[in-house]
């Protein structure tokens, strides 16, 4: 069999991987609608927050980030970076954040900030799915399977929507208890023929083990390619495990999607010690 790595981490140094895929059509839509301010949501270490800050700046939008709790992380690498690219940060409690998709909450934000183009957490909307679906257009039809990390599932859905009948879409859930029906972007789940694996989350979102860290550091040592401990490290660990356990038939061509997210390493190391080399 053959394993290929699709390097979406190389799309842009700061708007990496699937975050660019998900922003692309949202930026175009915001522009089309005449908006000058983008507003989005994320945790204190969010790749999406970092990417949106830079994307907004690059294309001349103002950006507001609604950040979940944790005002004490104000100056962590991710949020400092977002601020340095002009994003205004607004910290809300975990309770308020949980209701972030309620129309009343959005109305409150419009009252506070004026006209805003709202991008959901993680870029998880139909335009995000559309952008991610374009990944498949860049791959040859000889590809039999593609694997991606699953956070909101937006990337997974995009791949699934645009895959050929002979192509398998594999999602490696990086959080515990991810359910297909929780996919934040609703889709015709009757046609849901992709596969979501729940065995490689290492205990839950942003959880890790020494084995995972060792794998990430070894991978970089052998290939020179960095993986992040939240998403791509778990995805690649899973793909390697599937390969060694004989999951894929002989002669299969598998693509692992490097969704980027390397900005998260600094914040991870800041919290846990310099684990990721
Ligand atoms: C956000 C992110 C994901 C998760 O993508 P979803 O479309 O939300 O499932 C995967 N990998 C990286 C590096 C990310 O930053």
């Amino acid at each position: 069999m053959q394993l290929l790595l699709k390097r979406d981490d190389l799309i842009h140094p700061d708007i990496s991987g699937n975050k660019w895929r998900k922003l692309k059509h949202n930026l175009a839509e915001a522009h089309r609608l005449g908006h000058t301010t983008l507003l989005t949501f994320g945790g204190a270490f969010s790749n999406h927050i970092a990417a949106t800050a830079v994307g907004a700046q690059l294309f001349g939008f103002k950006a507001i980030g609604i950040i979940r709790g944790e005002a004490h992380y104000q100056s962590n690498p991710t949020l400092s970076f977002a601020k340095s690219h002009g994003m205004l940060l607004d910290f809300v409690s975990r309770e308020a954040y949980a209701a972030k998709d309620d129309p009343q909450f959005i109305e409150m934000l419009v009252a506070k900030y004026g006209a805003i183009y709202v991008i959901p957490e993680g870029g998880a909307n139909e335009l995000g799915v559309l952008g991610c679906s374009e990944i498949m257009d860049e791959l040859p039809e000889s590809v039999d399977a593609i694997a991606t990390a699953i956070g909101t599932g937006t990337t997974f859905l995009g791949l699934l929507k645009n895959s050929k009948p002979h192509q398998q879409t594999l999602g490696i859930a990086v959080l515990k208890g991810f359910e297909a029906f929780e996919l934040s972007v609703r889709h015709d789940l009757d046609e849901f023929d992709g596969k979501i694996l729940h065995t490689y989350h290492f205990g839950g979102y942003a959880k890790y083990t020494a084995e995972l860290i060792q794998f990430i550091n070894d991978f970089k040592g052998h290939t020179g390619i960095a993986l992040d401990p939240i998403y791509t490290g778990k995805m690649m660990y899973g793909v390697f495990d599937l390969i060694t356990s004989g999951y894929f038939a002989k002669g299969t061509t598998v693509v692992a999607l490097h969704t980027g997210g390397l900005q998260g390493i600094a914040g991870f190391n800041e919290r846990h010690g310099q684990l990721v080399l």
Side-chain angles (χ1 to χ4, degrees):
M1 65 157 295
Q2 193 180 24
L3 175 62
L4 307 174
L5 188 59
K6 170 92 170 120
R7 298 290 307 275
D8 267 15
D9 57 316
L10 299 177
I11 287 179
H12 186 278
D14 297 318
I15 320 175
S16 74
N18 66 347
K19 296 306 180 281
W20 168 247
R21 301 280 184 182
K22 295 194 271 186
L23 275 175
K24 177 183 163 189
H25 293 292
N26 276 294
L27 293 174
E29 180 69 356
H31 177 71
R32 194 182 69 79
L33 296 172
H35 278 286
T36 55
T37 304
L38 310 177
L39 180 143
T40 195
F41 307 87
F45 297 92
S46 164
N47 294 331
H48 169 68
I49 287 292
T52 304
V54 177
Q57 189 178 54
L58 205 56
F59 292 95
F61 294 96
K62 290 196 202 99
I64 300 161
I66 306 297
I67 311 298
R68 184 185 58 229
E70 298 156 341
H72 61 283
Y73 281 131
Q74 285 258 18
S75 57
N76 81 17
T78 300
L79 297 183
S80 310
F81 177 83
K83 270 191 284 188
S84 76
H85 284 275
M87 183 178 260
L88 178 82
L89 302 180
D90 185 350
F91 291 86
V92 302
S93 70
R94 288 186 168 264
E95 300 73 56
Y97 191 89
K100 66 186 177 317
D101 297 324
D102 288 358
Q104 298 96 305
F105 189 60
I106 303 293
E107 273 168 38
M108 185 274 286
L109 292 170
V110 171
K112 188 169 176 183
Y113 292 113
I116 45 176
Y117 180 83
V118 177
I119 303 175
E121 180 183 57
N125 61 13
E126 285 298 338
L127 293 174
V129 173
L130 177 65
C132 293
S133 76
E134 293 166 359
I135 295 168
M136 294 309 292
D137 297 332
E138 298 168 13
L139 296 172
E141 283 204 19
S142 56
V143 166
D144 300 302
I146 179 160
T148 184
I150 286 200
T152 63
T154 310
T155 305
F156 176 75
L157 272 184
L159 300 176
L160 188 61
K161 265 187 125 169
N162 196 20
S163 59
K164 301 281 179 305
H166 73 276
Q167 293 174 321
Q168 190 183 15
T169 310
L170 280 174
I172 313 279
V174 303
L175 43 98
K176 213 169 168 165
F178 181 87
E179 298 281 359
F181 62 77
E182 286 174 5
L183 283 175
S184 48
V185 182
R186 299 283 154 190
H187 194 250
D188 188 354
L189 292 183
D190 293 341
E191 290 175 30
F192 192 81
D193 53 358
K195 206 159 183 166
I196 298 180
L197 302 174
H198 298 277
T199 39
Y200 301 111
H201 57 60
F202 290 85
Y205 186 74
K207 300 276 194 296
Y208 65 97
T209 64
E211 194 189 356
L212 176 67
I213 301 299
Q214 187 68 48
F215 173 81
I216 289 169
N217 289 336
D218 286 349
F219 188 86
K220 189 171 177 188
H222 288 289
T223 64
I225 297 168
L227 302 171
D228 79 292
I230 316 291
Y231 295 102
T232 54
K234 293 180 181 181
M235 180 280 301
M236 193 59 84
Y237 183 101
V239 169
F240 270 49
D241 190 58
L242 293 171
I243 291 171
T244 43
S245 62
Y247 179 88
F248 297 108
K250 225 177 139 203
T252 306
T253 298
V254 180
V255 172
L257 179 63
H258 196 317
T259 41
L262 302 177
Q263 73 84 30
I265 294 174
F268 181 87
N269 279 345
E270 192 179 81
R271 276 171 290 163
H272 303 295
Q274 297 296 313
L275 295 178
V276 178
L277 302 177

